[in-house]
Amino acid sequence: MTHSIDIRMLHELLSGGGGITLLDVRRRADHESNPQRISGAAWLDPEKIETWIKHLPAGNPTVVYCARGGSVSQSVADRLRREGIDTVFLEG
């Protein structure tokens, strides 16, 4: 099973019309220093995952990204998958 996608694959998902949940999970400091997001993404504080995880739309595949496609998005994706949410992280 693929746990990551690249920007090309994300573009295909977004332009395909299928419902996906796109989450910006950069740490608060990274988000505050550059609040711009990928169009359609919601910023959610990764430190508060236990609060917001139960409010995610059921049945939608989820894509998460952070500042560099590193440990934050990977750990959030792992946590969401443990809850049964089909999740990948954006590389890079």
Side-chain angles (χ1 to χ4, degrees), residues 2 20 22 25 46 48 52 59 88:
T2 301
I20 70 163
L22 181 58
V25 294
K48 299 184 186 279
W52 55 257
V88 294

Side-chain angles (χ1 to χ4, degrees), residues 36-54:
Q36 293 180 324
R37 293 187 290 260
I38 296 173
S39 180
W43 177 75
L44 294 173
D45 188 342
E47 299 296 322
K48 299 184 186 279
I49 190 170
E50 297 306 320
T51 301
W52 55 257
I53 194 170
K54 46 194 150 203

Side-chain angles (χ1 to χ4, degrees), residues 22-44 65-67 90:
L22 181 58
L23 302 177
D24 173 349
V25 294
R26 292 175 291 161
R27 289 187 172 101
R28 180 175 295 280
D30 291 328
H31 178 259
E32 288 176 352
S33 70
N34 182 7
Q36 293 180 324
R37 293 187 290 260
I38 296 173
S39 180
W43 177 75
L44 294 173
Y65 70 91
C66 63
L90 182 62

Side-chain angles (χ1 to χ4, degrees), residues 3 8 13-14 16 23 25 27 44 49 62 67-69 81:
H3 293 296
R8 180 189 54 78
L13 285 172
L14 292 173
L23 302 177
V25 294
R27 289 187 172 101
L44 294 173
I49 190 170
T62 301
R68 290 171 278 290
R81 280 193 299 274

